[in-house]
Amino acid sequence: MGLSGEHGTWNEFLKFYDPRSADICFDPNSRPDPALIQFLTSINKKDDSRKLALLLNPSRPQVCDYSYKYPNETAEQRLVRKTLTHDEYPFDFLIPYNSKDWVLTGIIGSPLRVPISRFAPIISYSFRSGKPFDITKTEMIAVCCEKVLCLDNTEAAVRVAAVDRNLKVILDVLVEPNQPVINYRTSITGLDSRVLHLSNATPLSDIQEKLLGLLPTGTIMVGHLLNKDLKALKMDHARVIDTSLLFKYDISPCIGKLPRPSLDHLCKSVLGYEIPKSRGRCVHEAVASMKLVLAILEHGAHTSVPLPDEMLKTDVSGLLSMKKNVLSKRPMRNNASPPWCKPSWKSAL
């Protein structure tokens, strides 16, 4: 099924955009860039936007591989699949194309030499393995970083922590922001410009190199709202478990879309403890993310959690008057390719 924009499908759009030649040439490859851009920007349906976001993801081939339900699927791979097939995943993990200092970790193959589309400049990719694709690998690394606000209104990593499956801290370093900072968020990070300068913080490129060494092909990256950490680190990783996409509130779907459960709330309701409020707590958050995944894998923890007290007290939109139910589980996917695994983004038109 093709993508559909404000004026319908690609063929219908051409009749609106260029009625004189619409019936002559439907092939997107023969159309100028402005026509393609206008059609793509007119897409407003969620399903089509999701499909397009996945088609534009540089790690899409690996995402497709890790999204299937295999006969020999491990419990860890099942959580990877649940993350990658979540409705919000394509929008969360769509990396920008306007930066050449991004790296892809845990990707199979050799560097990409051509842009994925004519609109996308070549990104400087980093690859670290040519080993065969292996979904049985169960190694996991949890990553979390603290971020500062930069002049261009983006977030940059200022501290990054990583722990292994045994909850051993394998990385905990301060990062030198590569852009001017306008807010160090000192109450959270415990840092300011003077402290960061005196600490001899590590350049981001060196941090990326360290993480590349920790995340070989097939290793699972774990985190909570992991996409935000990856954007701050300027990295993309195909095989991920994001606890913000695994857990949901135990309520009726008719209430509508609610914010995702916070990591603090998941720790209280699933793990039974509170994350320390001390400054520089990204190590504790990385540990908490790994513990949540292990709670599912080793103890069968439920992924539906109760609403926090502060939400129950608000009674917004009749929240308290509605009966709370566990969200029904989605049917398991079969071995067929996900609908967004297409040879190229233009084939979706």
Side-chain angles (χ1 to χ4, degrees), residues 42-309:
S42 73
I43 293 173
N44 49 29
K45 290 172 61 177
K46 182 176 180 180
D47 287 345
D48 284 348
S49 297
R50 180 178 186 273
K51 186 188 300 183
L52 178 61
L54 280 160
L55 289 169
L56 293 176
N57 191 331
S59 60
R60 180 174 58 89
Q62 283 70 40
V63 171
C64 289
D65 288 337
Y66 291 128
S67 298
Y68 301 141
K69 186 177 186 297
Y70 293 93
N72 59 337
E73 183 177 67
T74 63
E76 291 81 0
Q77 172 57 28
R78 180 177 64 86
L79 298 185
V80 171
R81 177 169 54 82
K82 289 189 68 174
T83 295
L84 300 184
T85 56
H86 192 283
D87 286 343
E88 299 299 322
Y89 169 83
F91 307 105
D92 283 358
F93 287 84
L94 179 60
I95 73 171
Y97 283 95
N98 59 354
S99 178
K100 294 186 178 182
D101 51 359
W102 279 69
V103 294
L104 302 185
T105 60
I107 303 298
I108 302 170
S110 56
L112 187 66
R113 298 299 183 188
V114 295
I116 290 183
S117 80
R118 283 182 282 170
F119 322 131
I122 298 177
I123 303 174
S124 176
Y125 296 108
S126 293
F127 296 83
R128 284 296 185 271
S129 178
K131 294 181 180 179
F133 174 72
D134 182 11
I135 62 156
T136 63
K137 191 171 183 179
T138 58
E139 286 84 351
M140 299 189 295
I141 301 292
V143 175
C144 182
C145 66
E146 291 171 359
K147 298 169 279 289
V148 294
L149 184 63
C150 296
L151 185 61
D152 62 356
N153 206 36
T154 62
E155 290 185 319
V158 73
R159 183 178 180 182
V160 59
V163 301
D164 63 17
R165 186 172 186 144
N166 297 317
L167 307 181
K168 177 184 177 182
V169 179
I170 55 178
L171 184 67
D172 182 18
V173 292
L174 294 178
V175 186
E176 180 184 349
N178 54 6
Q179 295 197 47
V181 178
I182 60 174
N183 188 348
Y184 280 89
R185 297 168 175 166
T186 305
S187 62
I188 299 173
T189 65
L191 300 170
D192 55 29
S193 58
R194 179 177 175 276
V195 173
L196 197 60
H197 175 72
L198 294 175
S199 68
N200 295 318
T202 306
L204 179 62
S205 58
D206 291 348
I207 300 298
Q208 291 173 329
E209 191 69 25
K210 288 178 182 287
L211 288 171
L212 284 168
L214 294 174
L215 293 160
T217 302
T219 300
I220 300 169
M221 182 186 288
V222 173
H224 187 84
L225 292 174
L226 190 54
N227 59 304
K228 294 185 178 181
D229 292 329
L230 288 174
K231 287 177 182 177
L233 292 167
K234 296 189 175 183
M235 302 185 73
D236 189 24
H237 190 76
R239 200 176 186 206
V240 297
I241 296 176
D242 192 329
T243 53
S244 76
L245 298 178
L246 291 183
F247 291 88
K248 57 185 180 291
Y249 288 121
D250 182 12
I251 57 172
S252 170
C254 64
I255 292 178
K257 186 175 181 179
L258 292 174
R260 299 177 197 175
S262 68
L263 186 58
D264 287 309
H265 180 62
L266 291 178
C267 274
K268 292 177 185 177
S269 58
V270 179
L271 303 177
Y273 77 94
E274 294 188 13
I275 299 176
K277 301 296 184 183
S278 58
R279 292 178 177 179
R281 67 178 208 155
C282 64
V283 171
H284 300 297
E285 293 186 351
V287 168
S289 298
M290 183 63 78
K291 282 184 175 181
L292 286 169
V293 172
L294 294 176
I296 298 173
L297 296 175
E298 299 176 1
H299 305 290
H302 294 293
T303 54
S304 294
V305 296
L307 287 169
D309 292 339

